Amino acid sequence: MIDGGKGHLAVAVEELAKLGLSSLPVISIAKEFEHIFVKDRKDPVILPKESKALHLVQRLRDEAHRFAITYHKNLAAKKYRQSELDRVPGIGPKRKKALLSALGSVDRIKAATLEKLMSVEGIHEKAARAVIDYFKEKSA
């Protein structure tokens, strides 16, 4: 099921064909008039506004919207949680959190000495050197 009118349906059918999935049944629902378009059918299916079938299709569409919106919000949140520390070998989520909690920002971590980094709980010399080396190579 595709959200949109005839044009959206045509694009979806075309993309499914590229994937070798042209045998799948496909419909679309146009929001303005709630017309249902069916692949290989010229005219839309128009169900009465009180129709249980129409309500089901609308609920499916609304659930698809909810799912997509939640997915995209989660992607955006994940993007914002990422930092340069995620690329430092040997620095996983726990060490990243410890460094950020102790030093406050990636900029402060970049400027920290070996001793300062090692003073953070869970950061041993090898991990501290990995942080320093990563940012030294990045700035070179």
Side-chain angles (χ1 to χ4, degrees), residues 6-76:
K6 227 176 193 174
H8 287 97
L9 178 64
V11 170
V13 167
E14 190 176 302
E15 291 301 314
L16 287 170
K18 288 179 188 175
L19 296 170
L21 301 171
S22 56
S23 63
L24 287 177
V26 185
I27 67 169
S28 69
I29 181 168
K31 186 144 186 144
E32 187 176 353
F33 298 111
E34 304 291 5
H35 290 174
I36 299 169
F37 294 91
V38 181
K39 179 175 88 169
D40 299 327
R41 184 175 167 163
K42 183 181 175 188
D43 296 321
V45 175
I46 302 171
L47 297 173
K49 289 188 191 280
E50 314 79 38
S51 165
K52 288 185 180 193
L54 177 60
H55 291 171
L56 175 63
V57 173
Q58 290 169 327
R59 287 183 65 195
L60 287 170
R61 181 210 38 227
D62 295 344
E63 179 62 18
H65 277 166
R66 186 200 63 76
F67 180 84
I69 288 167
T70 301
Y71 174 76
H72 287 287
K73 281 182 180 178
N74 288 340
L75 277 183

Side-chain angles (χ1 to χ4, degrees), residues 85-132:
L85 293 175
D86 294 317
R87 297 184 200 103
V88 179
I91 303 299
K94 287 183 182 179
R95 287 188 177 139
K96 173 184 161 183
K97 185 177 180 180
L99 286 166
L100 288 169
S101 293
L103 300 174
S105 71
V106 174
D107 287 336
R108 287 184 176 169
I109 293 167
K110 286 179 188 180
T113 63
L114 180 68
E115 293 74 24
K116 183 68 174 175
L117 292 171
M118 288 174 55
S119 71
V120 175
E121 187 176 334
I123 306 296
H124 50 69
E125 184 176 355
K126 185 177 177 184
R129 287 194 187 282
V131 170
I132 290 171

